[in-house]
Amino acid sequence: MVSTELAQERRYVEGLYTRLDALRAEARTALERVRRESVGGNHQSRSERDAYARLYEDRIAQLDEVDDRLAFGRLELVDADTADAADDPDDSSPFRYIGRIGLRDEQLRPILLDWRVPQAAAFYQATAATPLGARARRHLITEGRTVTRIDDEIFDAELLVEQADSLQGEAALLAALTSQRTGRMSDIVATIQAEQDRIIRSELGGVLVVQGGPGTGKTAVALHRAAYLLYSHRERLASSGVLVVGPSRAFLQYIEAVLPSLGETGVVVSSVGGLYPGLEATHDDAPETARVKGAAEMAALIKRAVRSRQRVPAEAIDLEVNGERLTLEPGLISSAMQRAWESRKPHNEARVVFVKSALNQLSRLLADQLRSHGNTVDDADQAVLREDLRTSHDVVVALNTAWLPLTPEKLLQDLYARPQWLASLTPSWSEARRALLRRDRDEPFTISDVPLLDEAAELLGEYNAQNAALKREEKLQKKRDIENAENAIRNMQVEGLVHAEDLAAGFAERSVRGTTAEQAAADRTWTYGHIVVDEAQELSAMQWRVLARRCPLRSFTVVGDMAQASAAASARSWQDAVRPLVGSSPLGERWRLEELTVNYRTPAQIAAEAEQMAERNHLPITRATAVRESEWPVTTTTVELSPAGRPADPDALGDAVITVIEDDRDIDSRGTVAVIATEATVDALYPALSESFGRDIGLGAQGLNRSIAVLTAQDAKGLEFDAVVVVDPDGILAESTRGASGLYVAMTRPTQRLHLVRPV
């Protein structure tokens, strides 16, 4: 029975790949035809050609990315004539195949359902108690383009008797859980569980917080939700985009292949250190400094710093304008500033109003003074006088001294490097607290500086009027592009098949273009339709403010585990964490909490060891039920210390770690191993480990491309490995005030084996 069923599934899946290849060939042929078109000098025609080329390029990229495990499931329905009539009323087949994207045959009949359509929900949510119109669910396990195994779950008792010899159970899920890790996250679209699917498909609006302990699939849920929302709300999100924020570059490298494999290539993915365009901060401040910079009160400090650069002179200033002496009174500056403040524009943009008002008043003052000397000055001369004033060195100095244009970088550098200015802005701070911010101007910006730069940029605005004018022109051009796209769609007779916004996104009228994702990533003022935040428990109040500005609609998916919060400036509860997004709204009014309760990744014996450590250190954890055990117990290796607290043999710790890794490689030489330690221990260990393992080992994010990675607990957040070696657990505990969270993270990264190396 199984061999016959397997052969049938192989034939069907082969047919799906034949159709995929045909669609890919059609798209490439269409792309070549579009590129060959001669459109002459007509700008709109060139725009239409380039836009259609972009659409075909995106389609080809999508079809290429879904080749692996194109189809992974099949539903057998109770009543095929009614269960899926909305999809195709002429299809009476009881089977519905589920895959990464939807496919139709040449007669436009559905042969593969996209996993995100409502008709596919039963594949993830059906149970024997609630079958949702399904008699059975089949998992298709493939290698390359070949089905190698089928796994059936039967919901109908009659069918259970008919197919008594078929494979049953959860083989697909367990195979995914126990498979070797590669250093890259793979999607779980074939094995999404009902608890996860309900969260993935929940409504778009508001702030959804997903709390779950290690191994519960938080990251996978977050990424699959991003793909689901883009598919289900394409019209709303295609032009604004979706932003996915992770804790580090190592994490982004780990997840980079997931969304393309789910059929989505237009998502902006960023670390918290990359949220300010043009800067990719990878290192952070010491915990005490990061805590100060992450506090919400820094927003008020930045605001005071900006306002302090708008200064009325204490006394009158003498100016020379083409040989004429002119007195600039403080009242004139004050009046011009008042006009600028009334405009309610950011600092640099309001400065344009200030300068214009000051020059107008000075030109009238200069005209009156010239008339008092017997000169004739009429209205036509006012423009000349104004230009004389604008180019006068004394006037430029006076106006710049009163209201200097600023960049966010310059403001922050001055704030850190000028202790007297900082002291004047923070009269209630202690000297010790101010000293935490002290640094030279040429020191690189840190991860904690990113939200401060963004806050300053919000208050300062565009650096000059030319940039502001360019922004306005870009908005007008986008409106013209959409109008041209609508005309092109009508001319090509493809209404309903192509959206004007998608087509307009590919127009090439301006020199700098790109996808929605590319444009959004380069524009600090871009606002997204939805934001997904992973490891969200780590974010400071200032980092949340950045994200709140990026999504005025407050449509968020926030995933994390408060027990794993190790950042100095992170919140202590989700209520506090999301306050910058929802204000003081009561619980449940603007945000909702979902919990993941099943640990799919971490074997039970490892989860128990990590939870016992957490309880000893009074760490509030979210308990989850582990679905399996591995065959390997947690191991502990001790290294004897000298009386001074160091290994008696300086190389003893390194030798012990090398031995543990070698023993683990004897168990499985093809899987991944992470060595997790304090930052100082990582620096000390890596040379010896590199000498022993050569090209098989890598440091930090680079290690994700190797079979052995050496990481800090912070670097390891959100990652998973076949085996983990935790070096000096007590050192990780003592590394920071929230060291227990870091150790909890380190101990819950393995999917198979955990080794502890303890100096004693």
Side-chain angles (χ1 to χ4, degrees):
M1 176 70 174
V2 173
S3 60
T4 302
E5 291 284 324
L6 185 60
Q8 290 175 348
E9 298 299 0
R10 283 176 174 170
R11 286 194 295 271
Y12 193 89
V13 171
E14 286 172 3
L16 294 176
Y17 277 109
T18 298
R19 182 59 178 158
L20 179 70
D21 291 339
L23 291 172
R24 189 184 289 134
E26 289 176 9
R28 286 179 175 145
T29 299
L31 177 60
E32 292 171 2
R33 182 177 65 250
V34 167
R35 285 174 172 168
R36 288 196 302 266
E37 287 181 359
S38 175
V39 294
N42 185 292
H43 289 299
Q44 180 172 334
S45 297
R46 287 205 308 274
S47 295
E48 293 173 10
R49 178 200 61 193
D50 294 339
Y52 275 107
R54 174 62 64 87
L55 289 176
Y56 289 129
E57 289 166 353
D58 290 347
R59 177 61 170 165
I60 292 168
Q62 181 193 46
L63 295 175
D64 286 341
E65 290 288 353
V66 299
D67 200 280
D68 183 40
R69 292 179 297 158
L70 172 65
F72 50 78
R74 189 194 77 178
L75 276 174
E76 182 173 349
L77 303 176
V78 174
D79 187 349
D81 291 330
T82 60
D84 207 18
D87 187 61
D88 193 323
D90 297 326
D91 186 0
S92 59
S93 169
F95 302 124
R96 296 293 180 268
Y97 283 84
I98 316 298
R100 298 178 179 281
I101 61 171
L103 293 178
R104 290 178 178 266
D105 62 17
E106 294 180 348
Q107 286 74 45
L108 299 183
R109 294 174 301 193
I111 55 177
L112 183 67
L113 292 182
D114 190 299
W115 68 275
R116 293 165 288 192
V117 301
Q119 295 89 344
F123 181 78
Y124 302 107
Q125 299 176 4
T127 65
T130 311
L132 301 177
R135 299 186 73 198
R137 170 171 51 222
R138 170 169 290 177
H139 294 275
L140 308 177
I141 294 88
T142 59
E143 290 184 9
R145 292 187 166 197
T146 303
V147 180
T148 58
R149 195 174 76 220
I150 56 178
D151 173 49
D152 286 338
E153 296 172 77
I154 309 299
F155 308 131
D156 188 315
E158 294 181 5
L159 191 61
L160 187 62
V161 175
E162 295 172 14
Q163 299 187 8
D165 296 331
S166 295
L167 291 174
Q168 299 171 23
E170 297 182 336
L173 175 60
L174 292 177
L177 295 176
T178 58
S179 63
Q180 291 171 333
R181 268 46 191 173
T182 63
R184 292 291 185 278
M185 184 179 182
S186 59
D187 63 74
I188 61 163
V189 65
T191 58
I192 292 171
Q193 301 301 292
E195 178 184 64
Q196 298 168 327
D197 188 70
R198 177 174 53 80
I199 295 172
I200 289 169
R201 296 175 189 267
S202 61
E203 64 185 79
L204 172 64
V207 178
L208 170 64
V209 176
V210 183
Q211 161 75 30
T216 53
K218 299 183 297 296
T219 297
V221 167
L223 297 178
H224 287 70
R225 177 161 167 77
Y228 172 79
L229 293 176
L230 276 166
Y231 180 89
S232 302
H233 302 274
R234 182 74 64 184
E235 290 189 7
R236 170 174 166 179
L237 298 178
S239 59
S240 59
V242 170
L243 172 65
V244 175
V245 180
S248 65
R249 288 303 309 171
F251 176 83
L252 299 186
Q253 186 174 326
Y254 178 64
I255 68 168
E256 63 184 357
V258 174
L259 285 165
S261 74
L262 296 172
E264 296 298 341
T265 58
V267 178
V268 178
V269 182
S270 175
S271 67
V272 290
L275 289 173
Y276 187 76
L279 175 65
E280 182 64 50
T282 56
H283 294 87
D284 209 356
D285 297 284
E288 296 81 3
T289 301
R291 186 179 294 109
V292 172
K293 291 182 178 180
E297 65 181 306
M298 287 298 293
L301 172 57
I302 298 295
K303 186 174 183 179
R304 292 196 300 272
V306 171
R307 189 63 178 262
S308 74
R309 305 307 289 266
Q310 305 163 7
R311 295 174 293 191
V312 178
E315 54 188 27
I317 302 172
D318 289 331
L319 308 174
E320 182 179 344
V321 183
N322 283 348
E324 190 75 25
R325 305 297 296 181
L326 194 65
T327 300
L328 175 60
E329 296 289 347
L332 187 150
I333 294 293
S334 179
S335 172
M337 282 186 175
Q338 188 61 42
R339 292 287 301 274
W341 293 332
E342 289 172 356
S343 73
R344 309 186 75 84
K345 293 180 178 180
H347 175 89
N348 289 327
E349 296 169 34
R351 181 182 179 275
V352 176
V353 179
F354 163 74
V355 171
K356 182 178 180 180
S357 176
L359 289 177
N360 285 341
Q361 293 182 67
L362 282 171
S363 65
R364 289 194 293 271
L365 185 64
L366 180 57
D368 291 343
Q369 186 167 304
L370 289 172
R371 291 190 186 101
S372 70
H373 297 164
N375 296 300
T376 301
V377 180
D378 56 26
D379 292 342
D381 296 320
Q382 287 288 347
V384 176
L385 295 179
R386 195 175 185 282
E387 183 63 17
D388 288 342
L389 287 163
R390 191 184 67 81
T391 57
S392 165
H393 176 267
D394 285 0
V395 173
V396 170
V397 170
L399 296 186
N400 280 346
T401 300
W403 195 311
L404 187 70
L406 289 167
T407 65
E409 293 81 0
K410 179 70 164 59
L411 181 78
L412 214 57
Q413 288 164 342
D414 285 350
L415 191 65
Y416 295 153
R418 295 173 56 188
Q420 291 183 336
W421 184 37
L422 177 60
S424 70
L425 296 171
T426 56
S428 63
W429 286 26
S430 67
E431 281 299 324
R433 192 178 190 195
R434 294 189 195 109
L436 292 172
L437 298 184
R438 176 72 178 88
R439 75 177 193 204
D440 294 335
R441 283 187 173 85
D442 57 356
E443 289 191 32
F445 290 114
T446 65
I447 293 172
S448 293
D449 288 327
V450 166
L452 305 186
L453 288 167
D454 194 82
E455 191 79 27
E458 189 73 10
L459 295 170
L460 293 173
E462 296 291 346
Y463 185 73
N464 57 46
Q466 183 179 0
N467 287 342
L470 180 60
K471 289 284 187 184
R472 289 192 295 271
E473 173 57 27
E474 286 180 346
K475 290 181 180 179
L476 291 173
Q477 183 62 47
K478 182 177 180 180
K479 181 179 179 181
R480 291 192 291 267
D481 285 348
I482 292 175
E483 292 173 352
N484 288 339
E486 291 170 345
N487 292 331
I489 289 170
R490 284 192 292 270
N491 294 339
M492 298 287 288
Q493 297 181 348
V494 289
E495 292 94 332
L497 301 178
V498 178
H499 294 294
E501 290 80 3
D502 293 340
L503 190 59
F507 280 10
E509 284 294 307
R510 297 184 294 281
S511 59
V512 180
R513 293 306 305 241
T515 64
T516 297
E518 291 166 343
Q519 293 179 59
D523 185 355
R524 194 200 66 81
T525 63
W526 189 278
T527 55
Y528 294 90
H530 190 79
I531 295 180
V532 176
V533 189
D534 202 357
E535 298 293 339
Q537 75 279 352
E538 299 298 334
L539 270 60
S540 69
M542 291 301 296
Q543 288 167 334
W544 281 116
R545 285 177 63 88
V546 176
L547 297 179
R549 282 193 288 271
R550 298 291 195 274
C551 188
L553 294 176
R554 301 296 193 267
S555 180
F556 281 79
T557 299
V558 174
V559 303
D561 178 14
M562 273 297 162
Q564 297 184 57
S566 58
S570 59
R572 301 288 176 169
S573 70
W574 287 121
Q575 182 106 25
D576 291 339
V578 302
R579 185 165 287 117
L581 305 182
V582 301
S584 58
S585 298
L587 180 67
E589 185 174 311
R590 291 289 309 279
W591 70 284
R592 57 198 189 277
L593 177 68
E594 295 279 2
E595 290 193 275
L596 294 168
T597 60
V598 181
N599 186 336
Y600 298 100
R601 179 185 67 219
T602 315
Q605 66 270 37
I606 296 176
E609 186 87 11
E611 289 173 357
Q612 289 170 14
M613 181 282 300
E615 289 174 349
R616 289 195 302 271
N617 290 278
H618 310 291
L619 192 66
I621 60 172
T622 302
R623 289 195 173 273
T625 303
V627 300
R628 65 189 177 92
E629 289 192 6
S630 71
E631 58 184 287
W632 299 279
V634 177
T635 69
T636 300
T637 301
T638 58
V639 181
E640 186 176 353
L641 293 178
S642 70
R646 298 181 179 276
D649 177 354
D651 298 325
L653 188 61
D655 291 343
V657 174
I658 290 170
T659 300
V660 170
I661 295 174
E662 289 174 341
D663 290 345
D664 190 87
R665 303 305 280 169
D666 288 340
I667 297 173
D668 179 7
S669 62
R670 295 175 299 171
T672 58
V673 177
V675 178
I676 303 177
T678 65
E679 188 169 348
T681 304
V682 163
D683 293 339
L685 277 179
Y686 184 71
L689 299 182
S690 181
E691 184 176 344
S692 292
F693 298 105
R695 295 181 60 82
D696 289 338
I697 197 166
L699 184 64
Q702 181 189 9
L704 300 182
N705 294 321
R706 313 290 174 83
S707 56
I708 305 171
V710 184
L711 307 160
T712 65
Q714 179 64 30
D715 290 335
K717 280 186 175 295
L719 311 184
E720 60 183 37
F721 305 88
D722 292 291
V724 169
V725 182
V726 179
V727 183
D728 190 9
D730 292 338
I732 295 175
L733 277 173
E735 188 173 32
S736 71
T737 56
R738 305 184 83 166
S741 295
L743 182 55
Y744 186 58
V745 168
M747 293 178 67
T748 53
R749 296 309 94 196
T751 65
Q752 303 295 338
R753 299 173 296 281
L754 173 63
H755 310 288
L756 306 176
V757 178
R758 292 184 180 276
V760 295

